[in-house]
């Protein structure tokens, strides 16, 4: 059926939520990319290291609009190689990418008619950054999503600004005056930010830009809203109605809370406890170090062990993992991120089937590791990921009701012995040492379906 909507001809497909979410639930692992002109200062302004996350430098440093925009003119990511970015994501085992098309500083990484504050009109580089990324994603079979800061915008007048005290940025001698000003002005620190109203910003910048994003880059997988500061129902409704341009699209829960819940929840920098889960789809987003946008001196990277185990913990609870990379202003991934991605990819090549298309563990968590489950034509595959290799060479699984067809270690392909007691305790006998010190996966194929929840 062809339907005339918002001035566009679109094919309206009636897709159910399950149909839209099918690829996402299969994917389990994606890459978040926070990229923008904040990668130029990379955490330092006027010789001072500014506190907090890198992409917030303008707000935390209370940088005047004019100074920030002057700095941004230098943006010239000549080393940007979207094909290489997509290949790194794919080789890491990631199935989708979500990139900041516009973060809270309002700078658009794409060509837009709605504001001159964009990469084409404002910078030395002068080319749309999202087009070639969309092409590379298509070429490599990776789904593409856009992050869009729909309410906060510190450069396009009328956008909102979450109020942050100056002490969160640096020891500004004018902090009393500045903090009093931001209190009076809804978080804004520069009069230029308030030359227009929030409604004007929504109508003249956010709505047309989201329409451009949903029109000019082919099929999009995700629209990832962020920080609904100052959002109104009216504005959220306008933005949400644009999603009809991409009937298959998935959105998160950050357009406006609580009455625009989107398709999935977004725990940030944390993995929920089992008790917090209510059956809604969810995705943990997390940084590799302590910042989303590039900060030259944040070298506090998590280990591949932590991140691989995080991925397994998340999959065992039925969620997705969106792991962030913050590229430099030249357009390169930091070397530490490249190494982490390669490491995770090596593990995923051998053990990825314990993650993709799996469902949550029927047993919850084990002290020695995690479990995921996949229903197959002939029964069920259970994936036991062992973090702590047992000293006595045995792991046990209680409440086991299905008969075992086979059991093997994914890392070596070698079979392992299992025995099932009358009381329903499955014992898996393992070789003396772990084939993989990070997580060794034992796949146990059983007959029939396994209950969704088994009490340990
Ligand atoms: O303020 C942003 C932050 O910069 C970053 O983009 C994260 C990613 O989830 N979202 C916001 C904070 O919740």
């Amino acid at each position: 059926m062809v339907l005339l909507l918002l001035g566009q001809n679109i094919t309206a497909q009636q897709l159910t939520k399950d149909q839209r979410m099918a690829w996402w639930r299969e994917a389990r692992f994606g890459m978040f990319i926070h990229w923008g002109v904040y990668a130029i200062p990379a955490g330092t302004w006027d010789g001072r290291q500014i506190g907090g996350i890198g992409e917030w430098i303008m707000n935390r440093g209370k940088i005047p609009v004019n100074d920030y925009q002057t700095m941004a003119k230098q943006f010239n990511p000549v080393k940007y190689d979207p094909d290489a970015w997509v290949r790194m994501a794919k080789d890491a085992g990631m199935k989708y990418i979500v990139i900041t098309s516009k973060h809270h500083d309002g700078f658009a990484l794409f060509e837009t008619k709605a504001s001159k504050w964009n990469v084409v009109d404002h910078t030395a580089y002068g080319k749309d950054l999202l087009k070639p990324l969309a092409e590379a994603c298509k070429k490599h079979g990776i789904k593409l999503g856009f992050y869009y800061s729909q309410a906060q915008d510190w450069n396009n007048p009328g956008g909102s600004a979450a109020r942050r005290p100056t002490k969160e940025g640096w020891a500004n001698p004018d902090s009393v005056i500045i903090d009093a000003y931001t209190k009076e002005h809804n978080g804004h620190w520069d009069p230029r930010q308030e030359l227009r109203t929030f409604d004007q910003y929504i109508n003249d910048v956010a709505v047309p830009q989201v329409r451009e994003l949903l029109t000019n880059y082919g099929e999009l997988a995700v629209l990832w809203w962020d920080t609904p500061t100052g959002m109104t129902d009216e504005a959220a409704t306008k933005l949400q109605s644009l999603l009809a341009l991409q009937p298959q699209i998935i959105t998160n829960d950050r357009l406006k809370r609580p009455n625009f819940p989107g398709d999935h929840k977004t725990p940030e920098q944390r993995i929920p406890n089992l008790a917090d889960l209510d059956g809604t789809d969810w995705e943990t987003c997390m940084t590799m170090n302590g910042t989303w946008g590039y900060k030259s001196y944040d070298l506090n990277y998590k280990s591949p062990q932590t991140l691989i185990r995080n991925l397994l913990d998340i999959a065992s609870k039925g969620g997705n993992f969106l792991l962030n990379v913050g590229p430099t202003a030249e357009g390169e991934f930091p070397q530490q991120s490249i190494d982490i991605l390669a490491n995770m990819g090596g593990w995923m090549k051998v053990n990825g089937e314990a993650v993709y298309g799996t469902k949550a563990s029927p047993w919850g968590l084990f002290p020695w590791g995690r479990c995921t489950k996949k229903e197959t034509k002939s029964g069920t595959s259970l994936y036991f990921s062992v973090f702590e290799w047992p000293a006595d060479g045995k792991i046990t699984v209680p409440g086991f009701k299905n008969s075992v067809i086979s059991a093997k270690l994914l890392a070596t392909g070698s079979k392992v012995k299992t025995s099932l007691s009358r009381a329903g305790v499955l014992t898996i006998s393992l070789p003396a040492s772990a084939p993989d010190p990070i997580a060794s996966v034992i796949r146990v194929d059983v007959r029939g379906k396994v209950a969704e929840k088994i009490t340990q």
Side-chain angles (χ1 to χ4, degrees), residues 32 34 53 55-56 103-104 147 224 226-227 254 268 285 292:
F32 216 174
H34 275 68
I53 39 186
E55 69 282 8
W56 271 73
H103 202 266
H104 308 330
Y147 166 113
W224 217 96
D226 204 9
T227 69
R254 297 188 182 189
E268 180 167 321
C285 55
W292 304 93

Coordinates of all heavy atoms in Angstrom, one line a residue, residues 32 34 53 55-56 103-104 147 224 226-227 254 268 285 292, ligand 1:
F32 N 28.6 1.5 19.1 CA 28.2 2.9 19.2 C 29.3 3.8 18.8 O 30.5 3.4 19.1 CB 27.9 3.2 20.7 CG 26.8 4.1 21.0 CD1 26.4 4.3 22.4 CD2 26.0 4.8 20.1 CE1 25.3 5.1 22.7 CE2 25.0 5.6 20.4 CZ 24.6 5.7 21.7
H34 N 30.6 7.8 18.9 CA 30.4 9.2 19.3 C 31.5 10.0 18.6 O 32.7 9.9 19.0 CB 30.5 9.3 20.8 CG 29.2 9.1 21.5 ND1 28.7 7.8 21.7 CD2 28.4 9.9 22.2 CE1 27.5 7.9 22.4 NE2 27.4 9.2 22.7
I53 N 32.8 13.8 30.6 CA 33.0 13.1 29.3 C 33.3 14.1 28.1 O 32.8 15.2 28.1 CB 31.7 12.3 29.0 CG1 30.4 13.0 29.4 CG2 31.8 11.0 29.7 CD1 29.1 12.3 29.3
E55 N 32.5 14.6 25.0 CA 31.5 15.3 24.1 C 30.7 16.4 24.8 O 30.0 17.2 24.2 CB 30.6 14.2 23.5 CG 29.6 13.6 24.5 CD 30.2 12.5 25.3 OE1 31.4 12.3 25.3 OE2 29.4 11.8 26.1
W56 N 31.0 16.5 26.1 CA 30.3 17.5 26.9 C 31.2 18.7 27.1 O 30.9 19.6 27.9 CB 29.9 17.0 28.3 CG 28.5 16.3 28.2 CD1 28.1 15.1 27.7 CD2 27.3 16.9 28.8 NE1 26.8 14.9 27.8 CE2 26.2 15.9 28.5 CE3 27.0 18.0 29.5 CZ2 24.9 16.1 28.9 CZ3 25.6 18.2 29.9 CH2 24.6 17.3 29.6
H103 N 25.1 15.4 18.1 CA 25.1 15.2 19.6 C 24.6 16.5 20.2 O 24.1 17.4 19.5 CB 26.5 14.8 20.1 CG 26.5 14.2 21.4 ND1 26.7 14.9 22.6 CD2 26.2 12.9 21.8 CE1 26.5 14.0 23.6 NE2 26.3 12.8 23.1
H104 N 24.8 16.7 21.5 CA 24.2 17.9 22.2 C 24.8 19.2 21.7 O 24.2 20.2 22.0 CB 24.4 17.8 23.7 CG 23.9 16.5 24.3 ND1 22.9 15.7 23.8 CD2 24.4 15.8 25.4 CE1 22.7 14.6 24.6 NE2 23.6 14.7 25.6
Y147 N 22.1 8.1 16.0 CA 21.8 8.7 17.3 C 21.4 10.2 16.9 O 22.1 10.8 16.0 CB 23.1 8.7 18.1 CG 23.2 9.6 19.3 CD1 23.2 9.1 20.6 CD2 23.3 11.0 19.2 CE1 23.3 9.9 21.7 CE2 23.4 11.8 20.3 CZ 23.4 11.3 21.5 OH 23.5 12.1 22.6
W224 N 18.2 6.5 17.5 CA 18.6 6.5 18.9 C 18.5 7.9 19.5 O 19.4 8.7 19.4 CB 20.0 5.9 19.0 CG 20.3 5.0 20.2 CD1 20.3 3.7 20.2 CD2 20.8 5.4 21.5 NE1 20.7 3.2 21.4 CE2 21.0 4.3 22.3 CE3 21.0 6.7 22.1 CZ2 21.4 4.3 23.6 CZ3 21.4 6.7 23.5 CH2 21.6 5.5 24.2
D226 N 18.3 10.9 22.4 CA 19.0 11.0 23.7 C 18.7 12.3 24.4 O 18.5 13.3 23.8 CB 20.6 10.9 23.4 CG 21.3 10.5 24.6 OD1 20.7 10.1 25.6 OD2 22.6 10.5 24.6
T227 N 18.7 12.2 25.7 CA 18.4 13.2 26.7 C 17.2 14.1 26.3 O 17.4 15.1 25.7 CB 19.6 14.1 27.0 OG1 20.0 14.9 25.9 CG2 20.8 13.3 27.5
R254 N 14.3 7.1 24.9 CA 14.8 8.4 25.3 C 14.2 9.6 24.6 O 14.7 10.7 24.7 CB 16.3 8.5 25.2 CG 17.0 7.5 26.1 CD 18.5 7.7 26.2 NE 19.1 6.7 27.0 CZ 20.4 6.7 27.3 NH1 21.2 7.7 26.9 NH2 20.9 5.8 28.1
E268 N 22.6 2.6 30.9 CA 23.8 3.2 30.4 C 24.9 2.9 31.4 O 24.8 3.2 32.6 CB 23.6 4.7 30.3 CG 24.8 5.5 29.8 CD 24.5 6.9 29.4 OE1 23.4 7.1 28.8 OE2 25.3 7.8 29.7
C285 N 24.4 0.3 26.9 CA 25.4 1.0 26.1 C 26.6 1.3 27.1 O 26.3 1.6 28.3 CB 24.9 2.3 25.4 SG 24.1 3.5 26.5
W292 N 32.6 9.0 26.0 CA 32.0 8.5 24.7 C 32.8 9.2 23.6 O 33.3 8.6 22.7 CB 30.5 8.9 24.7 CG 29.7 8.4 25.9 CD1 29.5 9.0 27.0 CD2 29.1 7.1 25.9 NE1 28.7 8.2 27.9 CE2 28.5 7.0 27.2 CE3 29.0 6.0 25.1 CZ2 27.8 5.9 27.6 CZ3 28.3 4.9 25.5 CH2 27.7 4.9 26.7
Ligands
LIG1 O1 24.6 13.0 27.5 C1 24.8 11.9 26.7 C2 26.2 11.4 26.7 O2 27.0 12.3 26.1 C3 26.2 10.1 25.8 O3 25.8 10.4 24.5 C4 25.3 9.1 26.4 C5 25.3 7.8 25.6 O4 24.2 7.0 26.1 N1 23.9 9.6 26.5 C6 23.8 10.8 27.3 C7 23.8 10.6 28.7 O5 22.8 9.7 29.1

